[in-house]
Amino acid sequence: VLAHRFLIGSLVFLLYRIVSKSKTTIKKKDWKILLPLTLSYPIAYFLFQAIALSQISSGEVGIIFAGSPAITLLIASIFIGEKSTTLQKMGIFISIIGVVLIFVLQGTSFNASSISGYTWAFTAAIVFAIYNTHARVVLKQFKFIDVTEFLLVVGAIVYNIIAIPKGISNYFEPFANTEYILAILYIGVFASVF
């Protein structure tokens, strides 16, 4: 899914570049600034999230991931000196409590035997917070559209390198399902590009 998602997003940007006749502002020398960003997202984040989801429920991952805005706030204040308002802190606290309450009221409970899954989910949340903080710095130097394109292209390369050796028939098999095509177009275009 990730290979297809990022490939479709990259193809949309390629089409945009051809139709608009515009060029990216990112040069080869800029890669050293942007590659660390791609290591956190999309590479490490989705990898850690996938491992977590293989070990614990999506509800449990959701509860842990609800803490990522608070982690982002902490990391941004430590590493880039970003200040937050009391209202922002209250909003984050209320949202975390709200998500936890929703899952608790639905009967989702943490299982002590799934410590590894919780660790991977928490690591994914930390990586996403690092990405958010780093992106704030990077976006002061580069256009948002160019950074998005760069992330999608790197994601397409990495996840297709992982997916294709599993077999070409496995790679193309999901495209026999119309629902998959619609879903992958949605996440590849609207969730990734826009």
Side-chain angles (χ1 to χ4, degrees):
V1 172
L2 290 173
H4 297 150
R5 171 190 182 167
F6 287 103
L7 181 61
I8 288 169
S10 296
L11 292 174
V12 166
F13 266 106
L14 177 62
L15 181 63
Y16 164 75
R17 295 294 184 192
I18 291 169
V19 171
S20 70
K21 297 181 180 168
S22 66
K23 293 184 179 181
T24 182
T25 59
I26 295 172
K27 308 292 181 223
K28 193 172 184 177
K29 66 178 177 62
D30 299 325
W31 291 11
K32 66 180 179 216
I33 298 167
L34 294 169
L35 282 175
L37 185 67
T38 64
L39 288 175
S40 58
Y41 181 93
I43 298 168
Y45 167 71
F46 283 116
L47 176 66
F48 298 159
Q49 185 183 56
I51 294 168
L53 287 168
S54 72
Q55 297 178 6
I56 60 176
S57 73
S58 60
E60 292 169 313
V61 171
I63 289 171
I64 293 167
F65 201 69
S68 66
I71 299 167
T72 301
L73 186 72
L74 180 65
I75 290 173
S77 68
I78 292 170
F79 291 103
I80 62 174
E82 190 170 283
K83 304 289 182 211
S84 59
T85 67
T86 303
L87 189 60
Q88 287 172 318
K89 291 174 187 169
M90 285 176 39
I92 289 170
F93 178 75
I94 290 169
S95 68
I96 292 170
I97 296 298
V99 171
V100 171
L101 282 175
I102 288 168
F103 286 105
V104 167
L105 293 175
Q106 288 179 341
T108 303
S109 60
F110 287 102
N111 181 344
S113 65
S114 301
I115 296 297
S116 174
Y118 300 140
T119 303
W120 285 114
F122 187 66
T123 304
I126 291 171
V127 164
F128 193 69
I130 291 168
Y131 160 76
N132 279 329
T133 304
H134 189 191
R136 292 173 190 178
V137 175
V138 167
L139 289 172
K140 291 177 182 174
Q141 296 175 271
F142 302 100
K143 293 180 183 177
F144 180 80
I145 191 168
D146 293 337
V147 173
T148 301
E149 179 181 25
F150 190 84
L151 293 174
L152 287 171
V153 170
V154 171
I157 292 167
V158 169
Y159 288 116
N160 277 281
I161 286 172
I162 293 168
I164 290 173
K166 294 179 182 176
I168 293 296
S169 61
N170 289 338
Y171 185 83
F172 289 106
E173 184 181 329
F175 289 103
N177 182 327
T178 306
E179 289 178 9
Y180 179 82
I181 293 171
L182 294 173
I184 206 68
L185 284 173
Y186 174 78
I187 65 170
V189 176
F190 297 105
S192 298
V193 175
F194 297 111

